[in-house]
Amino acid sequence: MFTIEILCVGNELLSGITLNTNAHWLAGRIARAGGTVGRVTVVGDDLGAISSAVKESLARKPDLLIVTGGLGATYDDMTLEGVAIALGKKIAIDERAVQMLKNSYARRHLHYRINKVRLKMATIPEGATPIENTVGSAPSVMIGNIFCLPGVPAEMKAVFESRILPLVKEGVGRFVSKEVNYYARGVSEAMIAPALARIVRANGSHEIYLKTHPKGYYKKTVPQIRVQLVCKGDDAGKVKQKLDKISAQLRREIKRLGGRIA
């Protein structure tokens, strides 16, 4: 199992100002590649909170830790200093990161001077490797198995796709995933829950994901649910065979309980 943790930094995520779409997007991309997101943590723009969260994550020994947000030039961008504190390292201006800043401005025809404020984006933990931001300004940073990405979604996505996703796929190895959804009417979550538990016990939660999603009521009295089945593995034939087998079980259970597939 290739496990990844996500740490999102920003007061705006905790105050309800900004929806945490980064964590949602990352979790989806990682899952589709066969990786497992072990935990998503959100902390504010606070050095103690950032460094503590990094230490706690590393203690759980994930294969990768992805940190988003807090790489900019403003006073409340503290991520890299917080990561450095967690690792017992100092921060320093990195000339490679400075050049990346210059490249980003030149690419967008911005005639900005690299002053003290902008140099903050090139001040990274000692021993870290900067990663050029092809969409925005602030470089991303890699240090060990930690990747620090910008909080701006377009910038974060570009770095993830080019630098991190290949590592996830390499770590996972051969991976196949197939999914089917059933919309059932006349069956509630509580009614079908025992059958789902038996199916998961028989197949293992690492090979299948089986989840019900309530969909309200038809004509105010008849329950409706979506039953989501995902089968995973490294052999396409076996995954398809398992999907077909469990799908047949689900259809039988829905019928047995007096429901029907819409």
Side-chain angles (χ1 to χ4, degrees):
M1 183 183 296
F2 194 84
T3 304
I4 297 158
E5 292 206 6
I6 300 169
L7 170 60
C8 300
V9 179
N11 288 340
E12 68 278 11
L13 301 174
L14 295 174
S15 64
I17 294 173
T18 301
L19 185 65
N20 194 354
T21 59
N22 283 348
H24 176 263
W25 185 87
L26 284 168
R29 294 294 286 125
I30 291 165
R32 287 194 292 276
T36 299
V37 175
R39 186 169 304 204
V40 175
T41 305
V42 183
V43 298
D45 299 302
D46 178 84
L47 282 177
I50 296 167
S51 61
S52 293
V54 171
K55 288 179 182 178
E56 290 166 9
S57 175
L58 295 179
R60 291 186 287 271
K61 300 187 183 304
D63 293 291
L64 293 178
L65 169 59
I66 300 175
V67 186
T68 69
L71 303 189
T74 61
Y75 75 95
D76 56 347
D77 288 311
M78 305 178 181
T79 292
L80 295 179
E81 187 176 356
V83 171
I85 291 171
L87 299 177
K89 295 182 178 293
K90 296 179 180 180
I91 56 172
I93 294 173
D94 187 289
E95 291 303 323
R96 297 167 297 176
V98 173
Q99 186 58 51
M100 288 176 186
L101 277 177
K102 293 178 179 178
N103 293 345
S104 72
Y105 295 146
R107 185 172 59 248
R108 292 175 290 158
H109 307 289
L110 299 173
H111 304 292
Y112 292 159
R113 186 166 56 88
I114 304 297
N115 56 19
K116 182 178 180 180
V117 173
R118 295 191 176 94
L119 277 177
K120 184 176 184 296
M121 294 185 284
T123 304
I124 69 177
E126 292 180 330
T129 301
I131 300 171
E132 188 148 10
N133 187 336
T134 59
V135 178
S137 300
S140 296
V141 170
M142 176 184 71
I143 180 163
N145 66 335
I146 304 173
F147 282 86
C148 301
L149 311 184
V152 178
E155 300 176 24
M156 178 276 297
K157 291 175 182 179
V159 178
F160 178 84
E161 294 285 357
S162 64
R163 297 298 296 267
I164 302 176
L165 184 58
L167 295 178
V168 176
K169 290 181 176 179
E170 181 182 351
V172 169
R174 184 176 173 83
F175 176 74
V176 179
S177 175
K178 295 184 181 295
E179 178 176 342
V180 66
N181 288 270
Y182 292 103
Y183 292 83
R185 183 173 292 169
V187 178
S188 69
E189 282 193 301
M191 290 168 66
I192 202 171
L196 300 191
R198 289 194 300 271
I199 292 171
V200 172
R201 283 197 300 268
N203 292 276
S205 59
H206 63 289
E207 293 185 358
I208 69 169
Y209 176 76
L210 190 53
K211 177 68 176 174
T212 52
H213 306 270
K215 291 297 176 181
Y217 291 84
Y218 175 69
K219 294 185 176 180
K220 298 183 180 181
T221 59
V222 181
Q224 300 180 118
I225 60 172
R226 173 167 69 97
V227 183
Q228 180 187 16
L229 169 63
V230 181
C231 292
K232 303 170 283 185
D234 57 9
D235 183 290
K238 290 181 180 178
V239 169
K240 178 64 164 57
Q241 187 178 39
K242 185 179 291 289
L243 187 81
D244 291 343
K245 177 184 175 182
I246 298 175
S247 292
Q249 288 179 273
L250 290 173
R251 291 194 297 268
R252 287 195 299 269
E253 286 296 332
I254 291 169
K255 183 178 181 180
R256 183 185 66 80
L257 293 168
R260 68 181 184 87
I261 296 172

